[in-house]
Amino acid sequence: MGRAASPVEAVEAGPLIVACVLDYDALRAVLAGTEALLRGRTLVNLTSGSPEQARELASWAAEHDLAYLDGAIMITPPGIGGPDATLLYSGTPAALARHRDTLAVLGDQVDLGPDAGIAGLYDAALLGLMWSSLSGWLQGVALVGADGVRAADFTPVATRWLAGAVAGFIGRYAAQADAGAYPGDDASLTVHLAAMKHLLHAARARGVDTALPELLARQTEQAIEAGHGADSYARLIEGIRK
């Protein structure tokens, strides 16, 4: 798995080829001219791209008798191989099992099944979750910071809340989103909206940007106006799905 001097040397080095380059165009350029050497080998592609690009490359790999795994690295480069490193894989069913021990040096492995596009799809969805969470945390830091609270003091309380109550909400709401039924047993949208108004008031009073809570309140108000005020927060998925 070490770096080779040329694409041909990389392909000839062994049965497993791990690629992580700038984009799919760069990967195609690297692989060009090695097709005859690829047969019977496994390509693990950790290059970031869309699900559609991954599926297209998987079809190309199948034409050349090349087992293909698409992957997504869910950690920044310094963390690869560390305790928090997770890699998502999807593609040729037997490929991950065959090379699991070798790939373990990169991080924990999550097998998402035979559809090569699913790893990239999870990657996009999880990055969206990360950015939403980080922006919510920054909103909170700005809010409490306006009253002199340090981010370092706020953060342990925030992460405890995320790992406990918020993770619990997500677990319950997953079943509701799949079923399309949203009982507001824990807290209705009407209750959520009242709390959002408190957040908006506190932010405005302190000169903190309100774009994020205004977006959340607007989505909630639209669901309530459509007659779903007694439903849970998971009801908002219907507006997001369009």
Side-chain angles (χ1 to χ4, degrees), residues 71-77 79-80 84-88 108 110 119-120 122-128 130:
I73 304 171
M74 306 311 296
I75 194 74
T76 54
I80 294 174
D84 295 326
T86 297
L87 284 87
L88 312 178
D108 289 343
V110 178
Y122 266 62
D123 183 32
L126 290 171
L127 287 172
M130 178 190 72

Side-chain angles (χ1 to χ4, degrees), residues 26-93:
L27 179 59
R28 291 282 198 170
V30 168
L31 295 176
T34 66
E35 290 85 353
L37 299 172
L38 292 172
R39 296 188 179 280
R41 304 178 192 270
T42 297
L43 171 63
V44 177
N45 177 31
L46 302 180
T47 302
S48 295
S50 71
E52 290 72 25
Q53 288 175 312
R55 289 169 181 145
E56 181 181 350
L57 190 59
S59 296
W60 174 87
E63 293 172 0
H64 293 86
D65 190 26
L66 175 66
Y68 180 76
L69 272 179
D70 195 78
I73 304 171
M74 306 311 296
I75 194 74
T76 54
I80 294 174
D84 295 326
T86 297
L87 284 87
L88 312 178
Y89 294 103
S90 60
T92 306

Side-chain angles (χ1 to χ4, degrees), residues 30-232:
V30 168
L31 295 176
T34 66
E35 290 85 353
L37 299 172
L38 292 172
R39 296 188 179 280
R41 304 178 192 270
T42 297
L43 171 63
V44 177
N45 177 31
L46 302 180
T47 302
S48 295
S50 71
E52 290 72 25
Q53 288 175 312
R55 289 169 181 145
E56 181 181 350
L57 190 59
S59 296
W60 174 87
E63 293 172 0
H64 293 86
D65 190 26
L66 175 66
Y68 180 76
L69 272 179
D70 195 78
I73 304 171
M74 306 311 296
I75 194 74
T76 54
I80 294 174
D84 295 326
T86 297
L87 284 87
L88 312 178
Y89 294 103
S90 60
T92 306
L96 182 57
R98 186 162 56 246
H99 298 288
R100 185 177 295 278
D101 290 344
T102 302
L103 295 172
V105 301
L106 301 176
D108 289 343
Q109 303 157 1
V110 178
D111 184 358
L112 298 175
D115 181 347
I118 294 298
L121 192 62
Y122 266 62
D123 183 32
L126 290 171
L127 287 172
L129 177 61
M130 178 190 72
W131 291 320
S132 298
S133 299
L134 287 175
S135 292
W137 170 74
L138 290 172
Q139 178 82 29
V141 167
L143 189 66
V144 300
D147 281 19
V149 178
R150 297 170 62 246
D153 294 328
F154 170 73
T155 297
V157 180
T159 54
R160 178 178 178 177
W161 165 246
L162 287 169
V166 176
F169 287 141
I170 291 174
R172 290 193 296 276
Y173 291 164
Q176 294 186 15
D178 286 341
Y182 312 99
D185 299 335
D186 49 12
S188 68
L189 285 176
T190 301
V191 171
H192 279 287
L193 182 59
M196 290 173 184
K197 290 179 178 179
H198 298 321
L199 169 58
L200 283 165
H201 174 82
R204 288 168 180 153
R206 288 158 178 78
V208 173
D209 184 84
T210 59
L212 180 58
E214 283 175 355
L215 169 63
L216 302 175
R218 183 166 64 252
Q219 290 178 325
T220 305
E221 286 171 342
Q222 289 171 346
I224 292 172
E225 290 168 358
H228 305 300
D231 288 357
S232 75

